[in-house]
């Protein structure tokens, strides 16, 4: 028999000799066998899973952000709104993950920290790609990935591509705003710097919401994403401080000091400055 009839008369499939199972579809065999502790300490499992789950969420964030850029570039801004809203919701999941990791105490972490060697979240290539797609380009980090030529090539492509804010500024130009022409032909490998013509354009958008509804919605979606990213960065910094204090990171960074410094960086500066000037 291929079906089982339960007490509530639902027919449940039970014969999967020639059918794909849930586990096969999700490749759970590979996924659930990837948590290999390098120590015998119980809590290393928590440490591995939290970071693996975060990487899976970042994969989806990149999937959505890159699709949103493509949609905006071809003029389908409405489709991008759904993708950007999804990114914000994904970010809440990653932020909450720090609450789980913070149950790891300093005494527990020190028992297996040496097993990590120089491996560190600082080396997360997907996080670097998220930064690139949001417009923060740091060329020195590319050297970390030279060990893998294919990965290095993918990162270089992301590094050289326009960010989501670049394509948003292009939409301001299409709407007829007087934008500094140097921004349209700028070198995308350089981290974006605030420009007064862009702030003036966003100011007009916020003062004429009905006329520029799509641009207004786009601006608010971007603010949501940056807001959530900064919350993630802050929770990251406080979790690290809680577990290792002010020790250096395993990857060689200054740890908490470095994480505090990056909190000052803004991805979409005019969208924050315009709130003061309105």
């Amino acid at each position: 028999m291929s079906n089982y009839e339960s007490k509530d008369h639902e027919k449940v499939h039970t014969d999967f000799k020639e059918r794909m199972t849930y586990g096969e579809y999700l490749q759970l065999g590979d996924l659930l066998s990837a948590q290999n502790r390098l120590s015998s300490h119980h809590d290393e499992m928590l440490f591995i899973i939290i970071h693996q789950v975060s990487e899976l969420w970042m994969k989806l964030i990149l999937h959505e952000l890159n699709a949103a850029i493509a949609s905006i570039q071809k003029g389908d801004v409405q489709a991008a709104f759904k993708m950007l809203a999804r990114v914000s919701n994904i970010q809440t999941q990653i932020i909450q993950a720090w609450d789980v990791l913070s149950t790891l105490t300093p005494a527990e972490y020190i028992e297996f920290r040496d097993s990590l060697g120089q491996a560190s979240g600082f080396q997360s290539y997907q996080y670097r790609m998220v930064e690139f797609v949001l417009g923060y380009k740091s060329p020195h980090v590319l050297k970390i990935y030279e060990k893998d030529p294919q990965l290095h090539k993918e990162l270089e492509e992301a590094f050289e591509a326009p960010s989501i804010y670049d394509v948003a500024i292009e939409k301001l130009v299409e709407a007829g705003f007087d934008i500094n022409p140097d921004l349209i032909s700028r070198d995308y490998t350089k981290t974006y710097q605030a420009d007064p013509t862009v702030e003036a354009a966003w100011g007009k958008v916020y003062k004429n919401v009905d006329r520029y509804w799509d641009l207004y919605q786009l601006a608010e979606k971007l603010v949501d994403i940056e807001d959530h990213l900064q919350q993630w960065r802050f929770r990251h910094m406080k979790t690290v401080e809680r577990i290792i204090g002010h020790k250096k990171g395993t990857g060689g960074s200054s740890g908490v000091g470095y994480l505090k410094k990056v909190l000052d960086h803004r991805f979409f500066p005019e969208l924050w400055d315009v709130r003061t000037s309105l």
Side-chain angles (χ1 to χ4, degrees):
M1 292 180 64
S2 60
N3 297 325
Y4 165 75
E5 189 167 334
S6 62
K7 292 180 180 179
D8 54 6
H9 305 295
E10 289 188 5
K11 290 186 177 180
V12 180
H13 292 291
T14 58
D15 184 355
F16 286 94
K17 291 179 181 177
E18 297 182 3
R19 296 176 180 174
M20 179 176 64
T21 65
Y22 169 82
E24 289 169 337
Y25 173 67
L26 294 178
Q27 300 182 55
L28 291 182
D30 293 333
L31 185 64
L32 299 179
S33 63
Q35 294 73 46
N36 301 307
R37 290 180 292 167
L38 297 180
S39 75
S40 59
H41 198 278
H42 172 85
D43 292 312
E44 189 181 356
M45 183 65 74
L46 161 69
F47 191 82
I48 291 171
I49 288 177
I50 286 292
H51 288 86
Q52 287 183 341
V53 168
S54 294
E55 291 291 336
L56 284 172
W57 280 129
M58 281 191 278
K59 181 173 184 176
L60 185 54
I61 285 173
L62 287 167
H63 178 71
E64 299 296 339
L65 285 175
N66 285 319
I69 288 175
S71 293
I72 294 169
Q73 287 177 322
K74 69 181 182 181
D76 192 359
V77 183
Q78 290 291 329
F81 293 160
K82 173 68 177 292
M83 299 164 189
L84 297 177
R86 181 174 290 161
V87 168
S88 294
N89 280 283
I90 296 166
Q91 289 175 298
T92 64
Q93 300 298 313
I94 300 182
I95 292 168
Q96 290 173 359
W98 293 120
D99 293 334
V100 183
L101 186 58
S102 66
T103 64
L104 180 68
T105 69
E108 291 162 345
Y109 182 49
I110 202 171
E111 290 293 322
F112 65 86
R113 188 182 190 228
D114 287 347
S115 300
L116 275 62
Q118 280 72 55
S120 166
F122 183 85
Q123 299 146 15
S124 168
Y125 64 84
Q126 288 199 125
Y127 178 70
R128 295 304 171 188
M129 284 184 172
V130 170
E131 287 189 329
F132 292 170
V133 80
L134 294 179
Y136 183 52
K137 307 294 181 74
S138 44
H140 64 279
V141 302
L142 291 173
K143 185 172 179 59
I144 297 170
Y145 313 101
E146 289 178 348
K147 180 179 180 179
D148 185 335
Q150 180 57 40
L151 174 59
H152 189 262
K153 180 182 177 183
E154 291 176 17
L155 280 155
E156 282 188 322
E157 289 174 356
F159 184 74
E160 295 168 0
S163 72
I164 194 161
Y165 199 48
D166 288 314
V167 299
I169 291 172
E170 288 173 6
K171 286 300 166 186
L172 292 173
V173 174
E174 290 177 15
F177 290 106
D178 186 15
I179 301 296
N180 179 356
D182 292 340
L183 296 180
I184 306 307
S185 58
R186 80 181 194 87
D187 181 355
Y188 295 132
T189 67
K190 307 295 183 183
T191 296
Y192 179 82
Q193 301 295 323
D195 185 279
T197 63
V198 174
E199 183 178 346
W202 286 126
K204 291 178 182 177
V205 168
Y206 275 87
K207 290 175 182 177
N208 300 275
V209 172
D210 291 340
R211 181 178 177 184
Y212 301 111
W213 178 251
D214 280 354
L215 287 169
Y216 169 72
Q217 285 280 83
L218 178 57
E220 286 297 287
K221 292 290 187 294
L222 294 179
V223 168
D224 285 342
I225 289 172
E226 179 163 352
D227 190 351
H228 282 90
L229 184 60
Q230 292 295 64
Q231 290 181 52
W232 182 89
R233 282 174 159 178
F234 179 78
R235 289 294 294 120
H236 184 190
M237 182 269 293
K238 295 306 293 183
T239 302
V240 170
E241 185 176 21
R242 176 172 178 159
I243 296 174
I244 67 167
H246 288 265
K247 293 186 183 76
K248 279 191 173 184
T250 51
S253 75
S254 58
V256 169
Y258 169 78
L259 296 174
K260 283 184 176 179
K261 184 173 63 176
V262 298
L263 281 171
D264 292 332
H265 174 260
R266 299 186 301 170
F267 291 90
F268 318 128
E270 296 92 349
L271 291 179
W272 296 98
D273 292 339
V274 75
R275 283 153 164 75
T276 302
S277 60
L278 283 174

